Amino acid sequence: MRAARLIKMVLLLQSRSAMTAAELARELEVSERTVTRDAQALSEAGVPVYADRGRTGGYRLIGGYRTRLTGLARSEAEALFLSGVPGALREMGLDDAASAARLKVSAALLPSLRDASWTAAQRFHLDAPGWFHEPVTPELLPAIAEAVWDDLVLRVSYTRRDAVVERELEPYGLVLKAGVWYLAARVRGDGAGFRVYRVDRIESVAVTADARRFARDPAFELPAFWAERADEFARAILRAEVVVRLTASGVRQLPYATGRASAREALATAVEGADGRVTVTLPVESEAVAYTQLMTLGPEAEVVAPDALRERFAVAARRMGGWYG
């Protein structure tokens, strides 16, 4: 542990001209007294760490010293490719590996380029979760992420509907969608192929007693698999249809009211009428959901069928007409 901290201290000083004891303590998550002891240990080991005294003093490397300890470990290199999603790294327990990787890259850069990570962070930021939903990190996510990295077979308990089922899984990959984590996995010994599990519904997880590893299917591609399953899911929940007449504004707003997959399929059936409005057949999850979604379009949408839904809108329109005169 201390050896890793000493290396990190050297890399920090190599990537910056000087750092105070307080800055080093904050970066290394230790006390300033520990920083002093570590600096002394580095000096005794032949690393030319120099301490400037006074209010503006601090630690720096002298004589153009540069360490060769900048090679990335495998875990650091893998984490570096995920550094665009810092929240996800933190939730998977990979924050330390990513931090070490960034330090090594920074230390290897020319002095004129060492502020590149800071300037990029000030200009671009990815905030993955959707609005109005406080993301909750599943407690078991780090353990699952570790098994994904190491291709370890997992035994899990998973809540499905009202029952808890036991599964032995080959965990292939994790996906973060709108603040929710999903696991793409294959049930061991099952020929049904790959499945998707919500991580927050996994009740327990354990590596097999013999820490078995599985051989990954070289044909499996996580982005392509997820895109296909997401499209299947979006279409599978659309079990009913309603006929709607839309204004030009309603056509533009439809994807935001009902979802892009549903709107795309509906607009493919569009038939323009004499009044300039278009009639579409809209796939929906249910009539109740359609009522909530289409109500957001207000006067830009007229429900034509089914009759029960049309009457429901008529009642709502009469009530609103009474309020507004």
Side-chain angles (χ1 to χ4, degrees), residues 103-263:
L103 266 177
K104 290 182 178 181
V105 171
S106 180
L109 292 174
L110 293 172
S112 60
L113 299 177
R114 285 180 188 159
D115 65 344
S117 61
W118 182 87
T119 56
Q122 297 306 307
R123 288 162 173 79
F124 302 100
H125 176 68
L126 174 63
D127 186 8
W131 290 104
F132 313 119
H133 297 282
E134 189 67 29
V136 178
T137 303
E139 183 180 347
L140 299 175
L141 179 62
I144 295 171
E146 185 175 350
V148 169
W149 280 119
D150 295 335
D151 298 336
L152 292 172
V153 177
L154 286 177
R155 285 200 179 96
V156 305
S157 298
Y158 183 78
T159 301
R160 189 177 65 182
R161 300 183 183 90
D162 296 327
V164 176
V165 297
E166 305 286 332
R167 293 285 185 270
E168 194 167 278
L169 301 178
E170 297 176 352
Y172 268 70
L174 285 163
V175 175
L176 178 61
K177 171 72 171 180
V180 179
W181 285 95
Y182 297 88
L183 173 66
R186 185 161 58 184
V187 178
R188 196 161 179 83
D190 187 344
F194 295 94
R195 302 180 184 182
V196 175
Y197 300 85
R198 275 187 63 142
V199 173
D200 57 6
R201 292 180 184 168
I202 296 178
E203 301 291 336
S204 66
V205 59
V207 174
T208 56
D210 54 355
R212 276 176 290 158
R213 282 182 163 79
F214 64 91
R216 295 181 70 90
D217 182 350
F220 178 82
E221 295 182 3
L222 183 59
F225 167 78
W226 179 257
E228 181 181 344
R229 285 303 173 90
D231 188 61
E232 288 177 0
F233 172 77
R235 189 63 189 86
I237 64 173
L238 304 176
R239 301 184 180 93
E241 290 183 341
V242 299
V243 180
V244 186
R245 194 171 289 127
L246 301 166
T247 65
S249 178
V251 169
R252 291 193 297 271
Q253 296 177 46
L254 187 64
Y256 304 100
T258 65
R260 296 188 180 278
S262 179

Side-chain angles (χ1 to χ4, degrees), residues 273-289:
D275 61 357
R277 293 186 297 170
V278 299
T279 301
V280 302
T281 300
L282 178 70
V284 294
E285 187 174 347
S286 66
E287 290 185 19
V289 172

Side-chain angles (χ1 to χ4, degrees), residues 47-61:
V47 178
V49 178
Y50 179 76
D52 289 317
R53 306 296 178 185
R55 290 179 57 190
T56 60
Y59 293 93
R60 61 187 177 88
L61 295 173

